[in-house]
Amino acid sequence: CHRLSDKPSSNEHDWRELPIWLWMTHNDVNTRLLGERMAQNNQPKPNQWESQQARWPSLYTCPNCWREDKSWEEDEIFDHLHSMYWSGNPSYIKIPSEENEPRKPVRSIWKVGGFLFCIISLAAWFARLSKAHHHSGRHKKVDH
């Protein structure tokens, strides 16, 4: 089999097989899980429309991916997968890389937390000191 050779294929069709296979497997699992869930709930087997709703992408998201008979169009599916996952910068999926995204130093969180701890501790200390001073009677005026 040429797919098991040590030499990478230069044929684009060979490179398209894996994402299409993963997509088909994903949809098969979704459809199977839908059927199992309906069986557990004592509901009838899913009809064609319900099975279509379990598949990705939806008819709404990618209308060109699906034919009238609810079968799929491989080139359109591959283009949709490519635009979603490998197109460079998808507009609504952003996964920052560590080298491009500046990280906020953790110590700044500790500084803010330490500052708040000090303020609360000082307020509690003054409240306790004031209460102790009030109970001691040293705050009262003495007439001589």
Side-chain angles (χ1 to χ4, degrees), residues 2-64:
H2 72 278
R3 286 186 263 172
L4 299 176
S5 71
D6 292 335
K7 297 176 185 171
S9 174
S10 60
N11 184 356
E12 180 185 341
H13 182 72
D14 291 346
W15 290 102
R16 295 167 69 117
E17 287 181 22
L18 177 62
I20 293 294
W21 178 82
L22 287 170
W23 170 80
M24 287 172 29
T25 303
H26 176 269
N27 280 336
D28 289 345
V29 169
N30 280 354
T31 304
R32 181 180 54 84
L33 291 175
L34 172 66
E36 288 176 7
R37 185 173 53 241
M38 292 182 86
Q40 286 174 349
N41 294 330
N42 296 323
Q43 296 176 338
K45 289 184 177 184
N47 60 32
Q48 187 178 8
W49 183 85
E50 291 167 331
S51 295
Q52 176 65 32
Q53 295 303 309
R55 295 183 183 134
W56 184 90
S58 68
L59 189 57
Y60 175 76
T61 305
C62 185
N64 295 332

Side-chain angles (χ1 to χ4, degrees), residues 1 13 16 18-19 27 30 36 40 48 51 64 73 81 87 96-97 106 114 118 126 135 140-141:
C1 180
H13 182 72
R16 295 167 69 117
L18 177 62
N27 280 336
N30 280 354
E36 288 176 7
Q40 286 174 349
Q48 187 178 8
S51 295
N64 295 332
E73 188 68 50
L81 289 168
S87 67
S97 63
V106 175
C118 289
F126 278 121
H135 288 298
K140 297 180 182 174
K141 290 186 181 180

Side-chain angles (χ1 to χ4, degrees), residues 57-73:
S58 68
L59 189 57
Y60 175 76
T61 305
C62 185
N64 295 332
C65 294
W66 302 101
R67 297 183 184 128
E68 290 291 323
D69 64 355
K70 304 300 183 217
S71 64
W72 47 276
E73 188 68 50

Side-chain angles (χ1 to χ4, degrees), residues 86-103:
W86 304 293
S87 67
N89 279 331
S91 60
Y92 52 92
I93 299 175
K94 181 173 168 85
I95 302 172
S97 63
E98 290 186 16
E99 58 265 357
N100 294 339
E101 196 73 27
R103 293 185 65 171

